[in-house]
Amino acid sequence: MDAFKKHTGVVAVLDRANVDTDQIIPKQFLKRVERTGFGEFLFFDWRYHEDGSVCPGFELNGPQAAGASILVAGKNFGSGSSREHAPWALLDYGFHVIIAPSYADIFFNNCFKNGILPIVLPQSEVLRIMNAASTANSAKDQFSLTVDLDNQTLSDGGELNIRFDVDPFRRHCLLNGLDDIGLTLQNVDDVDAFEKRRPIYMPVVAALSV
Amino acid sequence: MNRRTMFEKIWDAHVVKAEEGKPSVLYIDLHLIHEVTSAQAFDGLRLAGRKVRRPDLTLATMDHNVPTTDRTVPVKDPISKKQMEVLAANCEEFGITLYDIHHKLQGVVHIIGPELGLTQPGMTVVCGDSHTSTHGAFGALAFGIGTSEVEHVLATQCLQQTKPKTMEIRINGALPMGVTAKDIILAIIGKIGTDGATGYVIEYTGEAIRALSMEGRMTVCNMSIEAGARAGMIAPDETTFRYVQGKPHAPQGEAWSAAVANWKQLPTDEGAEFDRLVEINASELAPYVSWGTNPGQVLPITGVLPNPADIENPADRKTVERALDYMGLQPYRPINGLTVDRVFIGSCTNGRIEDLRAAAGIVQGQTVAQNVKAMVVPGSALVKLQAEAEGLDKIFVAAGFEWREAGCSMCLGMNPDILSPGERCASTSNRNFEGRQGKGGRTHLVSPEMAAAAAIAGHFVDVRTWKK
């Protein structure tokens, strides 16, 4: 996983609550067996009409959101399915940071595993960012933020300066791009010892003949 | 002595290593995998040159995108076919037991774990699927994980986890006639919202929960994720032990006695504290129907749709407006009498034998309404076999239902079973998100009884008072 330290990018606003993973990446695109290539299908059912033409009214299709890498959204973002295809699609599209008042647990966790920083801010701060970004309405007049994970701040370079909290261990892993399987494997002796203590009645899988 | 909740007991018993300021390393007793969320995990293993630590604690099946029609013909969709072939090759390479599309034990992953006796009290169970919470019905800690964590479990048989908070949801009293486990969980989500339990593990308690069968308990725990919960669980009791005993992977002889003795220690200690308590009176519950585009947007069958104009909070008003618009519904309309085009009975929520019996009880001797296309998809090949042994398939087919092979099917529409745009479906599944059952499709979540009655009547009815 790539390390995440500081990121500056264009902000896209998706002012909707409870955006679920079925919207982020509809199920017809879950059949790929790779981790890449999902970006073109991000929010597919919202981005495109039935005939394949672009829905001009969808937030991400506007010129102010072109090339955006920071997504600001409503509460409970990423609810629903555990599909990691959702963060893969966001990342592949170009998003490195998400800002919302709250997230669904599994999605939140999946983001960190892929080097995406999901920032939790109070509703009022999220609204401030949404309002500031909403003044942008063309490709020339885009709203950008700089997110500094080391100092836990985000700023528009002007009056908007916000501090955010992030779990210290997750921050450490993101800053250093740590492979958490590698971290667990450092405890292999403990795992060995644990397995010796497991009750013998616990089931093991064996192919049943029927 | 320290008084602990059931969740805390199971958590404590599975901590391999705990360090201040770091997530705990938690041991996983059973890892279930399927074709959609595992391929990239196996690729990760190969890239890093890692092995599967415990293939003997791992079981694979194919459920999400399998066709539910004739299995003797090849799978038409080339991408689905490839995904199944990749799973088969990965299981072969890493020595994992696989019940593939042609196997007599194939089925929805959350149905086959319990029916094979692999899901037992006190265990940790994970799967790359959010409805893994189903297994909590046995007094297990079971939760859904992403593909990176699937890879983590394959490589280490462990996960790094931060300890969630605990919530007790107590359902007091007895359920009225015609009100089911599905209605309990829909009522709960309606009350606390789709993020009401985010960050929590729920333990369901109370008389109404104790009175449920294992099938009913699985239905309740299954939709815990729909309230945002990390997991849902129910303390094991005689109902649990009776269900597990004699299943293929259940302990036998002395091991059985030892297991039961341990399982009896699992229930939450008297006086142990939860971080939050929610109470609901079962006697106040009715059959529920979801009206909107998330599982928290539910109404009792006697209810009327909300009017956005009555909602003060602008964000909430917009959410309701969007949902009504997508669902093609008008404010204040009663949900009772709303016409349906399709009926789907199945899924990991309601695809077990008891669900099919309940639906068949409504359908027997009746005919599906002319405007409705209805289908039953058993949750597993064993459920299908059992239903056929009881003659349930004949009841459904005689009424005009399609009787299919086991799989996730129209719950998520990854296979050919999908709604057309604008079609309205009474569904026993778990999610009514936009496009979940097909782009533009309109899903209403209900119990098997309510779905069966809607199929016959051609519209939603109150099963408590409905005269066939």
Side-chain angles (χ1 to χ4, degrees):
Chain A
M1 190 177 77
D2 294 338
F4 182 114
K5 290 187 166 63
K6 201 175 197 179
H7 177 84
T8 300
V10 171
V11 176
V13 175
L14 189 60
D15 185 10
R16 306 183 190 207
N18 304 310
V19 172
D20 59 74
T21 51
D22 274 78
Q23 294 312 323
I24 297 173
I25 180 83
K27 74 270 165 182
Q28 62 267 36
F29 307 114
L30 302 186
K31 295 176 188 173
R32 296 173 60 84
V33 292
E34 301 86 24
R35 279 175 197 256
T36 52
F38 289 97
E40 57 182 303
F41 310 122
L42 180 75
F43 297 120
F44 191 86
D45 289 353
W46 285 345
R47 267 163 79 194
Y48 302 103
H49 291 299
E50 196 69 24
D51 63 7
S53 60
V54 172
C55 301
F58 179 56
E59 291 89 329
L60 262 51
N61 288 340
Q64 77 288 350
S69 60
I70 300 174
L71 183 66
V72 191
K75 69 160 187 151
N76 198 26
F77 189 82
S79 57
S81 143
S82 65
R83 59 186 72 162
E84 201 159 314
H85 311 66
W88 294 338
L90 286 160
L91 190 66
D92 198 62
Y93 183 91
F95 287 116
H96 292 273
V97 178
I98 305 170
I99 302 171
S102 63
Y103 301 85
D105 276 345
I106 305 177
F107 174 83
F108 187 69
N109 199 26
N110 282 341
C111 283
F112 285 100
K113 310 281 180 202
N114 290 281
I116 297 176
L117 175 62
I119 297 177
V120 181
L121 287 179
Q123 180 86 44
S124 56
E125 300 282 36
V126 172
L127 270 178
R128 260 180 83 199
I129 299 172
M130 281 185 176
N131 289 337
S134 299
T135 58
N137 51 23
S138 73
K140 282 185 190 154
D141 171 36
Q142 290 182 311
F143 179 73
S144 293
L145 281 176
T146 295
V147 177
D148 182 340
L149 178 59
D150 208 8
N151 293 309
Q152 296 176 226
T153 56
L154 51 89
S155 167
D156 68 348
E159 287 177 9
L160 193 94
N161 291 288
I162 299 172
R163 201 182 144 70
F164 60 88
D165 285 327
V166 56
D167 173 79
F169 183 73
R170 290 186 191 275
R171 174 170 163 274
H172 170 75
C173 289
L174 262 188
L175 283 172
N176 297 291
L178 294 182
D179 161 24
D180 59 353
I181 295 179
L183 291 178
T184 297
L185 286 172
Q186 290 172 4
N187 302 306
V188 71
D189 292 346
D190 297 297
V191 183
D192 289 342
F194 183 91
E195 285 183 332
K196 294 203 177 75
R197 300 199 296 273
R198 291 180 78 229
I200 47 143
Y201 58 76
M202 287 265 190
V204 289
V205 180
L208 298 170
S209 50
V210 280
Chain B
M1 205 187 94
N2 185 17
R3 296 188 173 110
R4 292 183 299 167
T5 62
M6 175 167 62
F7 160 73
E8 287 162 332
K9 293 180 190 183
I10 299 174
W11 176 276
D12 292 349
H14 287 84
V15 172
V16 171
K17 185 157 188 176
E19 281 179 275
E20 187 68 30
K22 285 187 187 177
S24 297
V25 178
L26 208 63
Y27 196 81
I28 302 303
D29 293 315
L30 178 65
H31 186 197
L32 302 166
I33 60 178
H34 60 87
E35 75 277 21
V36 174
T37 59
S38 65
Q40 294 87 349
F42 284 109
D43 274 347
L45 288 185
R46 271 188 291 266
L47 271 173
R50 289 169 178 149
K51 298 249 172 291
V52 175
R53 182 179 173 93
R54 295 296 300 265
D56 60 333
L57 302 183
T58 313
L59 176 68
T61 191
M62 298 173 177
D63 56 2
H64 277 62
N65 66 23
V66 298
T68 54
T69 45
D70 187 357
R71 293 265 159 93
T72 59
V73 299
V75 176
K76 279 191 199 127
D77 174 3
I79 321 177
S80 293
K81 187 161 175 272
K82 182 173 179 201
Q83 218 165 30
M84 292 182 232
E85 286 167 356
V86 166
L87 177 64
N90 283 329
C91 288
E92 176 75 29
E93 180 181 343
F94 290 96
I96 293 167
T97 301
L98 166 69
Y99 296 144
D100 72 6
I101 183 169
H102 301 296
H103 201 280
K104 286 178 178 158
L105 299 175
Q106 176 265 345
V108 179
V109 65
H110 309 310
I111 303 225
I112 70 172
E115 76 184 4
L116 296 175
L118 283 168
T119 306
Q120 296 175 16
M123 290 173 64
T124 47
V125 181
V126 299
C127 173
D129 186 277
S130 59
H131 292 109
T132 309
S133 56
T134 311
H135 306 264
F138 291 80
L141 176 60
F143 52 92
I145 55 177
T147 298
S148 293
E149 290 186 315
V150 170
E151 183 180 339
H152 200 127
V153 178
L154 288 172
T156 67
Q157 203 57 34
C158 294
L159 274 178
Q160 295 178 13
Q161 292 285 303
T162 45
K163 201 171 179 175
K165 292 178 282 188
T166 57
M167 181 187 298
E168 179 184 4
I169 299 187
R170 197 183 296 159
I171 315 292
N172 297 309
L175 284 180
M177 283 291 284
V179 181
T180 67
K182 183 64 164 283
D183 303 306
I184 293 179
I185 190 63
L186 288 175
I188 289 171
I189 304 163
K191 185 182 168 95
I192 69 175
T194 53
D195 57 355
T198 301
Y200 289 87
V201 165
I202 299 172
E203 182 178 339
Y204 302 96
T205 65
E207 266 174 71
I209 297 293
R210 292 265 74 88
L212 291 177
S213 64
M214 284 316 296
E215 281 86 349
R217 293 177 188 186
M218 284 189 256
T219 300
V220 171
C221 288
N222 171 274
M223 290 187 69
S224 302
I225 181 69
E226 266 34 272
R230 192 83 181 109
M233 57 207 316
I234 293 173
D237 58 10
E238 291 303 323
T239 303
T240 321
F241 307 149
R242 265 198 308 277
Y243 181 98
V244 176
Q245 191 163 28
K247 293 275 188 292
H249 287 285
Q252 292 178 5
E254 279 179 31
W256 172 258
S257 309
V260 172
N262 270 351
W263 297 345
K264 285 183 174 170
Q265 305 302 314
L266 288 171
T268 294
D269 297 329
E270 186 111 7
E273 283 188 13
F274 291 86
D275 297 306
R276 191 180 160 196
L277 169 69
V278 173
E279 283 192 272
I280 288 175
N281 284 328
S283 62
E284 290 164 14
L285 299 182
Y288 280 78
V289 183
S290 76
W291 61 265
T293 52
N294 74 55
Q297 294 174 320
V298 296
L299 281 173
I301 181 65
T302 49
V304 296
L305 294 165
N307 186 346
D310 298 338
I311 300 168
E312 275 184 37
N313 179 313
D316 292 346
R317 183 167 60 236
K318 202 156 57 179
T319 303
V320 168
E321 262 169 9
R322 276 191 62 86
L324 286 174
D325 179 55
Y326 180 86
M327 295 298 288
L329 293 170
Q330 299 302 316
Y332 294 146
R333 190 204 188 289
I335 197 83
N336 198 344
L338 184 66
T339 305
V340 300
D341 309 300
R342 305 281 291 267
V343 169
F344 168 64
I345 297 176
S347 84
C348 59
T349 313
N350 283 125
R352 284 169 283 269
I353 187 68
E354 195 175 272
D355 302 312
L356 304 195
R357 285 180 193 141
I362 300 274
V363 166
Q364 185 148 34
Q366 305 292 314
T367 309
V368 170
Q370 280 196 335
N371 58 303
V372 175
K373 205 172 152 225
M375 66 195 285
V376 181
V377 182
S380 72
L382 283 181
V383 168
K384 180 168 186 265
L385 207 63
Q386 175 70 26
E388 288 171 354
E390 296 178 19
L392 305 185
D393 59 322
K394 293 198 176 63
I395 294 173
F396 286 117
V397 171
F401 278 82
E402 287 186 55
W403 178 249
R404 295 292 190 89
E405 300 291 332
C408 298
S409 180
M410 207 197 271
C411 174
L412 84 165
M414 273 193 76
N415 75 346
D417 309 334
I418 57 169
L419 298 179
S420 303
E423 274 191 325
R424 192 176 298 288
C425 179
S427 179
T428 66
S429 56
N430 42 53
R431 287 192 178 130
N432 51 343
F433 296 151
E434 286 182 34
R436 171 82 176 177
Q437 295 189 299
K439 186 167 180 171
R442 294 161 172 165
T443 305
H444 295 273
L445 305 174
V446 286
S447 69
E449 289 87 337
M450 285 287 285
I456 305 302
H459 52 79
F460 286 114
V461 295
D462 187 338
V463 278
R464 297 171 302 178
T465 53
W466 178 58
K467 302 274 187 294
K468 290 182 186 177

